[in-house]
Amino acid sequence: QTGSANTNPSDSADDEYITSVSIGTPAQVLPLDFDTGSSDLWVFSSETPKSSASGHVTYSPSKSSTAKKLSGSTWSIEYGDKSSSSGDVYTDIVTIGGFSVKTQAVESATKVSTQFVQDTVISGLVGLGFDVGNQVSPRPQKTWFSNAASSLAEPLFTADLRHQETGSYNFGFIDTSLAKGTIGYTPADGSEGYWGFTATGYSVGGAKLNRNSITGIADTGTTLLLLPDNIVDAYYNNVESAEYDDSQEGVVFDCSEDLPSFSFGVGGQTITISGDLLNLTPIEEGSSTCFGGLQSSADIGINIFGDVALKAALVVFDLGNERLGWAQK
Ligand SMILES: CSC[C@H](NC(=O)[C@H](Cc1ccccc1)OC(=O)N1CCC(N)CC1)C(=O)N[C@@H](CC1CCCCC1)[C@@H](O)Cn1ccccc1=O
């Protein structure tokens, strides 16, 4: 068995990727953000304060004949960008891309932070990290993918995120036609809950890859490519107008700049992110100053290959073999 779901950029900056998920009987369809950096499936619901839920699609367990309260269970989560949410837990049927998990823990939000209230394009997250990262207590729950894995043709999923066009999350199979290059595999470390791996080097423009281990995570829930300062500086030294903008908390440059590409080595392959994928977006509507897709990871403590990097590749999240596959797109 397999599943295949389309996913779409949330806005002109490809800030988030939105995928429709069906929950309950009859199906309640919610727009959710798939996040390989976390392991909880949580939603805005009938239990979310009305003022916070306004503008969001919500899940009502009381309207689902297959919903069951997981009594005594609660959850609370805080993300890297300091956004947070918490609540209680139901189980219900959750269908993604035509594949159904009968008894999936659906975490219902009774509290959401301001960022979530304002981010009305999504009604919650589907964590696609490792089960060890789940935040339900007293008994942690499995992710949708973990529950699905044993019934899928292969215990893996792929992410094909695209710039300003529809991409896909495929479950249980690899559509190699989505990639130009060969898939290179490298071991994945799931011990912290997210998909950790080590890139073997990088280069700016068409230069030859150097040898420089970069340990980081493959994170569909993070917009940017966040790498160490020395790499960020090496890149922006090639961009005449680049400067650090305190208010934007990042490197900005003239939108008219012709940005160099950025490449990294992984699994014996070279993934090249084109310059236009690194020129994220004007800092404000109509501004001629643009915000860079590559920024520093210095104050985070972990390198994150977020959507800016993932957009250049077909990425295979292979749970069965605890490995990550990367192919140039
Ligand atoms: C340094 S991890 C920062 C990252 N959050 C971002 O990337 C947000 C995403 C976004 C964009 C637009 C609207 C709302 C949210 O976007 C920015 O922060 N941006 C983009 C726009 C830029 N102008 C400024 C910088 C982040 O916490 N991800 C987590 C998942 C997110 C949470 C917020 C909702 C969307 C999914 C998560 O995987 C990060 N994780 C990864 C591993 C371990 C723990 C952990 O928690």
Side-chain angles (χ1 to χ4, degrees):
Q1 287 187 31
T2 62
S4 182
N6 284 346
T7 190
N8 289 292
S10 59
D11 57 21
S12 59
D14 298 345
D15 273 322
E16 296 170 301
Y17 283 82
I18 299 167
T19 309
S20 288
V21 175
S22 293
I23 307 176
T25 311
Q28 300 180 43
V29 180
L30 277 71
L32 302 181
D33 188 354
F34 286 16
D35 177 28
T36 55
S38 65
S39 308
D40 288 60
L41 192 166
W42 72 265
V43 293
F44 276 71
S45 72
S46 48
E47 299 176 329
T48 312
K50 293 285 162 285
S51 54
S52 299
S54 102
H56 290 265
V57 179
T58 55
Y59 164 64
S60 298
S62 60
K63 293 185 186 146
S64 170
S65 60
T66 41
K68 287 190 192 61
K69 185 99 184 337
L70 199 60
S71 63
S73 291
T74 59
W75 60 283
S76 177
I77 196 163
E78 182 177 84
Y79 296 100
D81 58 16
K82 305 289 176 260
S83 57
S84 62
S85 50
S86 59
D88 52 21
V89 188
Y90 292 80
T91 59
D92 209 337
I93 299 177
V94 177
T95 302
I96 295 177
F99 187 94
S100 297
V101 167
K102 299 256 168 311
T103 313
Q104 173 63 40
V106 179
E107 301 168 36
S108 163
T110 56
K111 240 172 92 186
V112 289
S113 66
T114 314
Q115 182 183 298
F116 285 116
V117 172
Q118 293 168 345
D119 188 12
T120 52
V121 291
I122 60 168
S123 291
L125 266 65
V126 175
L128 293 174
F130 290 76
D131 288 342
V132 65
N134 181 262
Q135 301 294 300
V136 172
S137 74
R139 286 174 308 287
Q141 299 297 305
K142 287 173 174 278
T143 68
W144 182 87
F145 173 64
S146 171
N147 282 320
S150 49
S151 315
L152 286 168
E154 293 179 272
L156 58 81
F157 65 91
T158 67
D160 170 23
L161 304 184
R162 301 189 179 192
H163 172 58
Q164 293 300 288
E165 54 174 292
T166 299
S168 66
Y169 283 99
N170 290 332
F171 297 92
F173 72 104
I174 300 172
D175 177 356
T176 51
S177 74
L178 295 176
K180 274 204 214 83
T182 313
I183 300 175
Y185 288 98
T186 192
D189 169 11
S191 59
E192 299 294 317
Y194 36 74
W195 292 81
F197 74 102
T198 299
T200 53
Y202 71 93
S203 71
V204 177
K208 195 169 155 323
L209 278 186
N210 64 21
R211 252 190 291 289
N212 178 316
S213 276
I214 311 166
T215 296
I217 68 172
D219 185 4
T220 57
T222 289
T223 309
L224 305 176
L225 169 57
L226 302 168
L227 294 177
D229 283 338
N230 66 305
I231 298 180
V232 175
D233 295 346
Y235 179 79
Y236 288 114
N237 282 344
N238 296 273
V239 182
E240 188 66 35
S241 61
E243 60 182 6
Y244 188 84
D245 178 327
D246 287 323
S247 66
Q248 294 296 322
E249 293 186 329
V251 179
V252 302
F253 42 78
D254 292 348
C255 296
S256 58
E257 290 262 15
D258 188 8
L259 292 183
S261 61
F262 179 85
S263 301
F264 59 96
V266 62
Q269 299 300 318
T270 298
I271 304 298
T272 297
I273 308 169
S274 66
D276 56 25
L277 285 182
L278 287 155
N279 185 345
L280 213 59
T281 170
I283 54 172
E284 275 136 32
E285 195 64 34
S287 165
S288 64
T289 302
C290 277
F291 190 79
L294 169 60
Q295 298 292 343
S296 169
S297 62
D299 58 5
I300 301 170
I302 184 173
N303 298 309
I304 302 187
F305 292 78
D307 301 338
V308 162
L310 301 172
K311 274 181 261 183
L314 172 68
V315 187
V316 183
F317 294 81
D318 183 343
L319 182 66
N321 297 298
E322 292 252 329
R323 63 183 186 170
L324 272 169
W326 294 79
Q328 183 75 38
K329 238 167 23 205

